[in-house]
Each structure stands twice: as C-alpha cells, then as structure tokens.
Amino acid sequence: MTPLFFTDTQIEAIARALGDTTEGLTGSEIAFLLAASHIKDTDPTATKRIRLYNAFAADQNIRQNRIHILAFIRKSMKPGRYLADQFRFESIRLNLNQALLFAGLAVDQTGL
C-alpha cells in the first residue's frame, strides 16, 4: 500500500535537495513550479529550502495527501528544463533520489 503522506523528515530532505544553494532550483523557478503545481507559496521571502518545506508541509496538511508535492517533483524534474545544463539535472536528481529513497520513490533519467 502506498503511503498518502511524506513524513516531516522526508519533506525536509526533498526541500533540501530541490532548494540546494549551488545546484538546486532558483527562487523564480520555485515560484513558477509552486503555482504550476497548485501549491500556495506560504513564505516567499524565506530561504529556498525553508520556502519549499513550508509550502509542501502546509499543502500536505491541508489536502491530507502528497499528490501536489509529487506533481511539483515531476514538473521540476522534466529533463527539458535542463537542456542547457545536463549536469544540474543529474545533480538535483541524485540529491532528490537520496531524499526519496526513504519513501520508496526515485526519479529516473526521464524525470519520472
């Protein structure tokens, strides 16, 4: 049976991977992807990691599922976003997969 929720530590690890200072998403990418995933940007002035954590945790608590967080991950990991920087895609994917491992999930080379 697939769990409906990410734990707090899983959300923190996902936020850390996607909001990595060096290779992670930019602030404007985060804003766009949160909106595209229908997740409220609860704290747009926070650091990227905290911003993502707060948005993901609030969304999961309100909706009582992780569907929109998974949508954010799918949208953020579309390989076409990284055509100019394949290294960045692989770096984010590696960090994200380490975070997703404990939830039994992974992002493959196609971004799924």
Side-chain angles (χ1 to χ4, degrees), residues 21-65:
T21 306
T22 307
E23 297 295 332
L25 300 171
T26 66
S28 59
E29 288 172 325
I30 290 170
F32 172 78
L33 291 164
L34 285 172
S37 303
H38 306 287
I39 297 174
K40 182 179 180 190
D41 194 351
T42 58
D43 199 359
T45 61
T47 65
K48 296 184 296 180
R49 178 180 58 84
I50 298 298
R51 181 181 183 186
L52 286 169
Y53 176 84
N54 288 344
F56 291 163
D59 187 79
Q60 181 172 265
N61 288 338
I62 291 166
R63 297 179 197 270
Q64 294 296 298
N65 65 54

Side-chain angles (χ1 to χ4, degrees), residues 49-101:
R49 178 180 58 84
I50 298 298
R51 181 181 183 186
L52 286 169
Y53 176 84
N54 288 344
F56 291 163
D59 187 79
Q60 181 172 265
N61 288 338
I62 291 166
R63 297 179 197 270
Q64 294 296 298
N65 65 54
R66 64 184 187 179
I67 292 170
H68 288 83
I69 300 170
L70 291 170
F72 183 98
I73 292 169
R74 281 191 305 276
K75 290 174 190 310
S76 68
M77 293 310 298
K78 288 185 183 251
R81 292 190 182 284
Y82 305 94
L83 290 177
D85 193 352
Q86 187 65 29
F87 174 79
R88 183 172 172 237
F89 172 78
E90 288 300 334
S91 178
I92 294 172
R93 190 172 77 87
L94 174 68
N95 291 335
L96 186 56
N97 279 342
Q98 289 173 346
L100 292 172
L101 176 69

